[in-house]
Amino acid sequence: MVRSGEEPKPAGRATDGTGPARLRERFLQGEQVDAGVRTSILNSWQRCRSLGLSPDTSDLPYREDFDPGGRIVRAAVPVLDRLQDAFSGSQVNISVADANGTVLLRRFGDPAMTRSLPAIQRVPGFVFAEQVAGTNGIGLALAERQLIRVYGAEHFAERSQGSACVAMPVRDPLSGRIEGVLCFGYPRGFDQPALSAAIRRAVENIERRLLGQSSAHERALLRTYLATGGEGGPHHGVALDALADVVHPRDQAILREKAAELISRGQRAAVEVTLPDGRRVTLVSRPMASASGVRGCAIEAVLPGTAAGEALVLPHQADELPDLAAFSTPPRPARPPNILLSGHLAAAFGPTVAPAGDRKSAEAGDTVPADGGRGGDRGPTGIAGTATADGGTVPADGGGGAADGGRSTTDGGRGSADEGRGPAGGGGTADDRAGSPFPARGLVMVGEPHVGAYALAARRRLELLSEASARIGTTLDVRRTAEELAETAVPRLADFVTIDLPDAVLRGEESADPLADLRRTVLHGVRDGLPFTPPGKRIDFGPTAPQLRCLTRGEAVLEPDLKAAAGWLAQDPEHTARLLDHVHSLIAVPLLARGVVLGIVSFYRTGSSFGDDDRSLAQELVTRAALSIDNARRYTHERTMVLALQRRLLPHGLPDQDAVEVAHRYLPAESDVGGDWYDVIPLSGARVGLLVGDVVGHGMLSAATMGRLRTAARSFAELDFSPDEVLTHLDNLVGRLDREDPDGKGAGVIGATCLYAVYDPTAQRCLMARAGHPPPALVHPDGTVSYPDLPAGPPLGLGGLPFDAVEIDVPEGSQLVLYTDGLIEDRHRDVDVVLEQLRVALAHPERAPEETCQAVLDTVAPAHPHDDIALLVARVHALDPGRIAAWELPADPALVGEVRASAMRRLSGWGLDETAFAAELILSELITNAIRHGTGPIRVRLLYGRTLICEVSDASNTAPHLRRAASTDEGGRGLFLVAQLSQSWGTRYLPEGKVIWAECGLDAA
């Protein structure tokens, strides 16, 4: 059982107008009280006010039907007697109440107090539950389900302002259910810190005596089993522990778990259990009752080849049953039921049964050690003796059972020792069975059905926690992780589960005010149709709601009975009233992880009430799930940032150009974001560059590296380097990035792949090269799809290896498809099969590039991609030959005028008269420079597209440079004029020679 520590005492406990007294008055007047009052006290005040209680009421309900000799009373009387002696002469009054707040016992340190105290403080039978008595020790201990202190003005009622109290719940050690409350009341001036320790020890003693009552019942059942032997006479065999060489410990655990389940049913039954090695063992359940009326079951294991009623013969003479007193054990604190692997019944293992022919039956006080004769204590309810609160041992059922009659025998148990026969009369002698070294049957467990149910429930809780570890957190999705928590809890813990998360958490962020943006995220239950707030709606909890209190405390809040939960009813009376027709009990648990509030989980039951063990289990489940949800939130936050960076670094629009019609897609991986990229780069001469790349790895580093590589690749491409040269420069850059790794361990960029293609619409040819990248697909106008035979090249970053470029014909209307490996490479698919699927998907040349992109993603891309996918589809167009004009001339300055005049006529024919003046000056300068500084032949070309492009090429590799001419220089101003008259200009190199180009705008076109 989890016992929370008490809250710190507030300053100013007196009723002198300061501290809680003043704050209480403000609260009663309806003012807001936020500080100076402990959370539990303030919550209780709010509940009292919502119930309409008056602080001036002095009368309390009185019950004449309370049980003065009940279980809690029998366990508490000796403890209260010792407490009375300990507080003798003081003003401390001691009381024990039941689970409903009705006082059952009272003791006084000073007997004279009975003459001065009112009846409600000295007579048993008055009810101190919070809903009728307001804030007080007994009522608040039941409401908070933990040790609690109440000082002076913290009491809601005026009658209790001059006193203080400390109270603590008393629980059944087996079930964890609250059986009652122990309370110390005293004047304010008597307050001592040692009272908390004293009440804890007293509660432990009462709980130990409650446990002893259960142990006595079990010992009575065991004596009855040994004495009467069920239906067939005395049993002759040993306990299951004695079969260790025959039954593996793992198999013993299986049998014990099944035995606890049989006892919880409380019926006569025979169940066959198949062990992991294939052997089958029959478990027989025999209901029985002791002489004192204790009812329970004995579970026997029958090994293969033995009938259930056959006598069991030991291979050697067994000792007689030892006396109970020889095995009494010192007192031990009770263990909480949620840590009992096989429940209370585990202590019943190991009684040794009398051998065949033994006429001695169990006498008063006889018992059997739980460890098969070793006499060791095997748990809090071991039949080797049960400790009581006063340090002694509890007699088995008060000395009742078979022991009451002195001896108990059966008709079939009087055979002589040398006959060696069982009750059936034909079992053979012990010598006849000497070849069988082990008995064929043994006692597995004895116990009461309700105790077996506790053991079964404890095991079910452990199984649920084990299952939760495997089921919760299988993904890094916040919403799905929350759904896994709800699916795990229903129906084994709760009938309905709601999970409310702030919008910020769903986005992967931390919420500044979780209550301000809570949204119903998950609603899961055993059936539909209940009036819960549906998923997606905003949630607003009232100030007294258990959900708000669980966030304030940072721990689970239990409401066993929602009809009596004033704080829950007050938040939304209409809605909660409709829910009360369907749900009965609630546990509200905050989702907290690493100091971050992630939301609230609410568990509901429709039938039985939740208990403290259920609260502990719910807290553990939510704690585990909170870590998974926080991991998912952090991942979502990081992934959102990386994805935003990735998309920011990718092209946001397509450049204006006539060479290709382009469509593109980027699909991030489900698990993480990688470094895939694509680009469309307009080049000189109406050409266009198509680029696709993939940085190895995932995450922020890959995305940032992708941005650097894309920027560099675009710069290299705009310098009019050929594809193989662009890849060479990129390879050097990646190697340099690796060498510049700040850690010096190469943990950063480890490589990348890239494919670069340059399409020339004037020649309808494409020059391409790749560095470890998948080859492109070429869709011909007739629908055939091919993968060009392009040298693979090494991935970027290896360094020192060359790249080869290949030029292919690309007819007009063809489609070039470039993609990254995430499209075709998948751990569950063969690459060749995927490439064939891609071929089929692309074999539709009539589709527009946008339609082709979507068709490829729909039919080829994996359903759950583990890697990013970048896809680029380009339908190529040819430049109209009527818009191309070309001349070739030797290096003769006299021919410049003729070419210039011919070019002007062509421009006039194209309707570009307004552009002709600038084009004429540009051509004159470029042709003159080529003749003066270059080598022949000289070629001139005009391209009319979106702009007018003037190109002059020669066989020289010498590049011109723009410079600022001095006022005294006679030349050096030609390129300056070209730069001023054109939109852009530059140089690109050919295998032999160079091309100087200038691009003019079509102002009058």
Side-chain angles (χ1 to χ4, degrees):
M1 290 169 287
V2 179
R3 302 193 188 279
S4 302
E6 56 187 303
E7 297 178 79
K9 294 184 293 185
R13 300 192 301 272
T15 57
D16 55 359
T18 62
R22 180 174 54 84
L23 294 172
R24 175 176 171 276
E25 292 302 322
R26 289 175 51 194
F27 175 84
L28 293 176
Q29 293 172 9
E31 297 182 24
Q32 185 71 23
V33 178
D34 296 325
V37 181
R38 291 179 295 153
T39 302
S40 60
I41 300 297
L42 182 59
N43 289 337
S44 180
W45 288 356
Q46 291 172 338
R47 293 194 294 268
C48 294
R49 182 166 59 185
S50 65
L51 288 168
L53 298 180
S54 171
D56 300 324
T57 302
S58 58
D59 295 332
L60 291 178
Y62 179 80
R63 295 186 56 183
E64 295 182 352
D65 59 345
F66 71 92
D67 186 1
R71 188 164 176 255
I72 182 70
V73 172
R74 296 196 308 270
V77 165
V79 180
L80 263 63
D81 290 341
R82 291 197 301 276
L83 288 173
Q84 186 175 19
D85 293 339
F87 291 112
S88 177
S90 69
Q91 295 297 304
V92 175
N93 67 84
I94 308 158
S95 58
V96 171
D98 62 16
N100 297 316
T102 303
V103 175
L104 306 176
L105 291 173
R106 284 198 179 276
R107 294 288 191 276
F108 302 94
D110 183 359
M113 294 174 63
T114 58
R115 296 191 296 269
S116 59
L117 293 176
I120 60 173
Q121 295 185 14
R122 58 183 173 82
V123 179
F126 286 96
V127 180
F128 282 81
E130 184 185 66
Q131 56 265 34
V132 294
T135 307
N136 69 90
I138 293 175
L140 193 53
L142 288 174
E144 299 291 320
R145 308 178 75 83
Q146 63 179 345
L147 186 147
I148 196 75
R149 283 177 177 265
V150 183
Y151 307 95
E154 291 180 334
H155 288 87
F156 189 76
E158 294 285 351
R159 64 176 178 271
S160 302
Q161 297 294 294
S163 62
C165 60
V166 56
M168 184 173 181
V170 178
R171 290 179 170 85
D172 183 334
L174 293 178
S175 67
R177 183 179 59 245
I178 291 180
E179 294 287 333
V181 177
L182 176 63
C183 180
F184 296 168
Y186 46 88
R188 290 199 315 269
F190 184 80
D191 183 30
Q192 298 179 5
L195 289 176
S196 295
I199 199 170
R200 288 184 188 275
R201 288 195 301 269
V203 167
E204 290 175 359
N205 287 335
I206 297 175
E207 292 177 348
R208 189 178 297 118
R209 292 184 61 83
L210 288 173
L211 189 62
Q213 294 177 14
S214 299
S215 301
H217 289 180
E218 190 170 275
R219 288 198 299 272
L221 290 173
L222 179 60
R223 283 200 302 273
T224 302
Y225 171 81
L226 297 176
T228 64
E231 296 180 352
H235 289 284
H236 307 297
V238 297
L240 189 63
D241 285 354
L243 304 177
D245 293 336
V246 176
V247 183
H248 191 275
R250 172 199 59 199
D251 301 334
Q252 294 182 39
I254 295 174
L255 295 178
R256 288 168 177 169
E257 289 180 2
K258 190 63 178 179
E261 183 177 345
L262 288 174
I263 289 179
S264 67
R265 298 177 184 175
Q267 300 174 350
R268 182 182 299 275
V271 178
E272 191 175 70
V273 180
T274 302
L275 300 177
D277 60 5
R279 289 189 301 168
R280 296 181 178 180
V281 176
T282 301
L283 293 181
V284 180
S285 173
R286 299 182 184 275
M288 59 184 181
S290 71
S292 60
V294 178
R295 296 186 177 274
C297 292
I299 309 298
E300 296 173 319
V302 181
L303 299 183
T306 304
E310 182 180 345
L312 301 180
V313 182
L314 287 177
H316 55 81
Q317 184 69 25
D319 297 333
E320 295 183 354
L321 293 175
D323 185 76
L324 172 65
F327 297 100
S328 58
T329 56
R332 292 183 59 181
R335 292 184 295 179
N338 61 349
I339 63 171
L340 291 177
L341 296 180
S342 55
H344 167 66
L345 303 175
F349 285 83
T352 301
V353 185
D358 184 8
R359 299 183 180 181
K360 179 179 179 180
S361 59
E363 299 181 0
D366 287 350
T367 189
V368 180
D371 55 358
R374 294 182 294 274
D377 184 12
R378 306 194 68 180
T381 61
I383 54 178
T386 303
T388 64
D390 54 2
T393 58
V394 178
D397 199 19
D404 293 341
R407 297 178 180 270
S408 176
T409 61
T410 58
D411 294 340
R414 295 186 179 275
S416 62
D418 56 356
E419 288 178 349
R421 299 182 181 272
T429 65
D431 294 336
D432 293 336
R433 300 186 58 177
S436 176
F438 300 104
R441 186 174 63 182
L443 176 65
V444 179
M445 189 176 290
V446 294
E448 298 175 271
H450 70 277
V451 181
Y454 297 154
L456 195 61
R459 190 173 77 249
R460 293 288 184 253
R461 287 192 290 269
L462 290 174
E463 291 173 353
L464 181 59
L465 287 176
S466 176
E467 181 181 338
S469 300
R471 291 188 59 180
I472 300 176
T474 60
T475 68
L476 286 172
D477 180 79
V478 173
R479 192 182 304 273
R480 179 55 195 153
T481 305
E483 291 172 352
E484 289 170 344
L485 169 60
E487 293 167 359
T488 302
V490 175
R492 297 170 64 178
L493 174 61
D495 296 316
F496 297 92
V497 174
T498 63
I499 302 178
D500 308 311
L501 304 179
D503 287 333
V505 172
L506 294 172
R507 296 192 302 267
E509 305 168 3
E510 293 186 14
S511 177
D513 185 4
L515 292 176
D517 61 346
L518 271 180
R519 190 173 298 277
R520 177 61 46 84
T521 305
V522 176
L523 169 59
H524 185 67
V526 294
R527 64 179 184 273
D528 298 329
L530 268 67
F532 285 104
T533 302
K537 297 292 185 179
R538 296 294 297 271
I539 300 295
D540 184 18
F541 293 111
T544 60
Q547 287 85 352
L548 182 60
R549 283 189 280 136
C550 81
L551 276 186
T552 304
R553 295 183 185 178
E555 61 182 22
V557 171
L558 168 62
E559 291 290 356
D561 185 1
L562 286 176
K563 293 182 179 180
W568 188 75
L569 294 170
Q571 60 175 323
D572 186 353
E574 181 180 354
H575 177 67
T576 53
R578 286 186 285 115
L579 269 181
L580 279 178
D581 294 334
H582 306 278
V583 297
H584 173 70
S585 189
L586 164 68
I587 298 176
V589 188
L591 270 166
L592 299 173
R594 304 180 180 96
V596 178
V597 177
L598 303 175
I600 301 172
V601 184
S602 301
F603 300 87
Y604 294 90
R605 274 187 184 171
T606 59
S608 61
S609 298
F610 285 116
D612 287 283
D613 287 339
D614 299 315
R615 178 176 61 178
S616 299
L617 178 59
Q619 180 81 64
E620 179 65 22
L621 281 176
V622 173
T623 298
R624 297 187 182 194
L627 290 175
S628 297
I629 291 177
D630 190 50
N631 289 338
R633 180 193 65 82
R634 289 167 175 256
Y635 166 77
T636 301
H637 178 67
E638 181 178 349
R639 187 175 188 272
T640 301
M641 292 178 57
V642 174
L643 188 58
L645 175 63
Q646 174 86 337
R647 294 191 182 280
R648 185 67 180 173
L649 294 175
L650 289 173
H652 292 281
L654 298 177
D656 294 333
Q657 45 80 37
D658 295 322
V660 293
E661 178 187 353
V662 179
H664 55 82
R665 293 288 190 277
Y666 171 73
L667 185 64
E670 282 192 351
S671 58
D672 207 347
V673 179
D676 292 15
W677 85 91
Y678 59 87
D679 210 345
V680 179
I681 309 169
L683 300 175
S684 64
R687 299 171 307 140
V688 64
L690 304 175
L691 186 66
V692 171
D694 181 6
V695 175
V696 176
H698 296 86
M700 186 74 72
L701 178 62
S702 296
T705 303
M706 176 275 293
R708 299 173 71 177
L709 291 184
R710 175 180 171 257
T711 302
R714 189 179 186 93
S715 300
F716 296 145
E718 289 178 343
L719 290 174
D720 270 320
F721 290 142
S722 64
D724 54 322
E725 291 179 302
V726 169
L727 296 183
T728 299
H729 288 295
L730 288 177
D731 182 54
N732 294 333
L733 174 62
V734 172
R736 186 164 61 253
L737 292 177
D738 272 333
R739 291 191 298 271
E740 294 174 355
D741 177 23
D743 296 334
K745 300 178 181 179
V749 180
I750 60 174
T753 64
C754 186
L755 170 64
Y756 181 40
V758 176
Y759 172 68
D760 187 350
T762 62
Q764 300 178 40
R765 295 182 65 81
C766 185
L767 183 66
M768 61 183 68
R770 63 182 177 131
H773 203 83
L778 177 60
V779 184
H780 296 271
D782 60 0
T784 60
V785 179
S786 63
Y787 297 100
D789 186 12
L790 185 63
L796 301 177
L798 296 183
L801 299 176
F803 299 94
D804 296 324
V806 172
E807 191 172 29
I808 61 173
D809 292 323
V810 183
E812 183 178 9
S814 300
Q815 287 187 355
L816 274 173
V817 181
L818 285 69
Y819 50 88
T820 56
D821 57 3
L823 178 67
I824 61 173
E825 293 183 4
D826 184 79
R827 68 187 68 174
H828 305 296
R829 303 187 300 173
D830 183 80
V831 173
D832 294 333
V833 174
V834 178
L835 288 175
E836 186 60 31
Q837 293 176 349
L838 179 60
R839 187 191 304 273
V840 173
L842 294 176
H844 298 276
E846 73 282 358
R847 287 176 177 162
E850 283 288 344
E851 297 174 346
T852 301
C853 277
Q854 194 59 47
V856 169
L857 292 183
D858 291 342
T859 60
V860 182
H864 304 282
H866 297 281
D867 194 6
D868 291 17
I869 298 175
L871 178 64
L872 189 64
V873 178
R875 170 171 285 167
V876 301
H877 300 289
L879 187 60
D880 185 357
R883 293 194 171 198
I884 303 175
W887 300 268
E888 183 173 336
L889 65 156
D892 184 358
L895 301 177
V896 175
E898 296 180 8
V899 174
R900 185 172 58 225
S902 179
M904 293 305 101
R905 288 192 297 271
R906 180 59 62 92
L907 292 178
S908 177
W910 288 342
L912 302 179
D913 296 321
E914 293 295 330
T915 310
F917 174 75
E920 182 179 11
L921 290 179
I922 290 173
L923 285 175
S924 295
E925 181 61 31
L926 294 182
I927 295 174
T928 301
N929 282 345
I931 294 175
R932 179 179 301 175
H933 303 289
T935 57
I938 308 298
R939 295 183 177 86
V940 179
R941 188 170 70 162
L942 296 179
L943 304 177
Y944 174 28
R946 290 177 180 268
T947 60
L948 177 65
I949 300 174
C950 304
E951 295 182 346
V952 177
S953 62
D954 64 80
S956 171
N957 289 325
T958 303
H961 296 282
L962 179 66
R963 66 184 181 89
R964 181 181 297 276
S967 59
T968 57
D969 291 341
E970 295 183 1
R973 298 175 178 82
L975 287 180
F976 177 78
L977 290 176
V978 171
Q980 295 300 311
L981 294 172
S982 63
Q983 291 181 348
S984 59
W985 72 279
T987 303
R988 73 173 182 268
Y989 292 92
L990 303 174
E992 295 181 358
K994 66 180 181 296
V995 176
I996 311 297
W997 58 270
E999 187 172 332
C1000 301
L1002 304 180
D1003 297 334

